[in-house]
Amino acid sequence: MEPVSLQDFVCALDPASLPRVLRVCSGVYFQGSIYEISGNECCLSTGDLIKVTHVRLQKVVCENLGTGQTMELAPNFQGNFSPLTGPQSYGTLEELVSATTQSSKQLPICFMSTHRITTKARVVPQEQPLKLEAVEMHLGTCCARCVLGTGAQQVILHLPLSQKGPFWELEPGPPRTLLQVLQDPALKDTILTCPVLPWHSLTLMPQYEVEAIMHLRRTIVKIPSTLEVDVEDITAFSQHIHFIQPLLLSEALARGGPFPLPTEILEVPEGPPIFLSPWLSSLRKGQRLCIYGVASPPWRFLASTKGRKVPRHFMISGAYQGKLRRRPREFPTAYDLLGALQPGQPLRVVATKDCEGDGLENPGFMSLAMGDRLEVLGSGQALGVQERDMNVLVCQRLSDQPGEEEYEEAEDQEQILLPLHFSGGFVEELGDGRRYSLQDLIAQFPLPCEVKVVAKDASHPDDPLPSFLGLRLEEKIMEPFLVVSLDSNPEMCFEVPPRWLDLTVMEAEGQPSQPAGPLPVVPVEELTEAFYYHLRKSPAFEGQAPPPRPPKSKGLSGQKKQVSKAKGVKVPTEPKFLLVTYFIHISVYMSTPISQFIPPPPLPTHPHFPSLGSICLFSTSVSISRMCSL
């Protein structure tokens, strides 16, 4: 096939012959965009191969031949078109008959008038098709015998040859719809007329959208048929051509199969690694993979280690088969105790250090000793300093021996009040020695939850979780994973999250190898620190609002202010004031005569001084210079 313009090829294309493979013979580059404009391809290189799969009519441009004006018609335009035999019109019927005779045409011919024709028999609307069958005498006048209408409703009219037009000669045949005109190759570039349009002679220029597949294009390429590019149809010689269509793991997950799916990696997304796993280094361009489908169950648990200076972070599959035991939680403040209290679940703790009640602003609190057992009852209010109400944690002191409090009378049990900022330190008292599966533990206790893995997952010999003193199960993550294995090692299966590791692959030929028995998937993956904090910032965790800050104790400075106010003396304690005061004393000291020598004033102390060392150095230098001057 000789090269033709893309527009000519599409206009002459039979949709039933698709798909067709084309080769670009002369490329085109549109300066406005390197890739596409409004979703359409606008740059093609010479030699590119295109596999046309679908052609869709977008619009039809209608042009007035006389003025050059254009308008757009929708594909569902309802008007009918009739083809004209030429671009010229005739002023009278006599001119029309004469032109027909000179062109050696035979009657009958079809024509129309652009004006209404009024006769004694009836009125002929403008642009109504008529058939001129013969020229004959009628009532002593040379007339054209014309037929109006078709079938059984034909009307014979005798129009004098002097009848004025203008008249346009039409091609024989009934009027046609827009799609019929576009699908008839004989009517290409034909001059047409349409009664519902304002122009008597016009041409139609269809514009199509071509959907095609191209090499290494992940999505269907859309090309406007008006793109100025020449193509050649090479379908007959394209049996050996294979169009590589990239596929994202997320797309394979969305379409749901078919699985298993043999693939080859085309591209690995850039960025820091998300897992500290040996299989991650095997994911490189050219590596063949087999995708077995969606991992089950679809949830994961985010966990961090306890008892280490630098915690490690893991993602644990819901299919993890290890055994876990609950660990007592630690609470640094009374406010943390209030946050951990769940309705219907008693919370009992043991104090981890001594605390006297004299230094607290709550008369209801007496004292706590290390080892005291408390049961948290809830929040309340108490009268604090300056006779103001303050929020407190209501607790009940239990007996020293667990189990004895059930036999005590309620009125004999001591109730104490803890300010929410109280930082005595507590540890949860647990009498639960059961070994839970992961599913049972999560079903019975809310997250976060402190656990100790006491038995590793038998299917995972390298399970690292039992080696840690404790784990904190932080959050449940609902995210689909794909079970994947290396083609070179089918026994090495792992789970890939397409949301965070969206590989670009292509479908590979051949039958995937299926491991015997269940897939040996690793249920525990260690996360990099960067990815762990990325997860913590993800939308899945956005709904977890940080707890409000507990009320702070007024501390020593607050107590000094209270005492000073009680005596009516103002004692400024701001760092700037102390520093200025000290430098004033130094200046006085430097100007004092030697006979009245006094030692320099002591250095003021304040918790907000930025650098005590610099002030001490300044004081020392002042003392040395003073001694030298003596």
Side-chain angles (χ1 to χ4, degrees), residues 199-251:
W199 306 323
H200 302 304
S201 60
L202 51 92
T203 58
L204 300 178
M205 294 175 292
Q207 295 186 9
Y208 297 90
E209 181 183 74
V210 179
E211 293 186 359
I213 298 173
M214 296 184 66
H215 274 306
L216 299 178
R217 296 294 184 93
R218 186 171 52 83
T219 57
I220 296 294
V221 177
K222 297 181 179 180
I223 307 172
S225 62
T226 54
L227 196 64
E228 297 179 359
V229 58
D230 293 338
V231 296
E232 179 185 6
D233 191 344
I234 59 169
T235 306
F237 314 102
S238 62
Q239 289 80 6
H240 64 286
I241 298 177
H242 177 64
F243 286 84
I244 299 175
Q245 190 171 6
L247 178 70
L248 292 175
L249 289 187
S250 57
E251 294 173 340

Side-chain angles (χ1 to χ4, degrees), residues 83 188 304 435 550 554 576 627:
K188 180 183 178 183
S304 298
R435 293 153 56 103
K554 294 184 179 180
K576 292 182 180 178
M627 294 299 296

Side-chain angles (χ1 to χ4, degrees), residues 244-274:
I244 299 175
Q245 190 171 6
L247 178 70
L248 292 175
L249 289 187
S250 57
E251 294 173 340
L253 175 66
R255 76 183 190 182
F259 297 119
L261 178 65
T263 60
E264 180 179 326
I265 298 179
L266 293 177
E267 184 179 0
V268 179
E270 297 180 355
I274 63 175

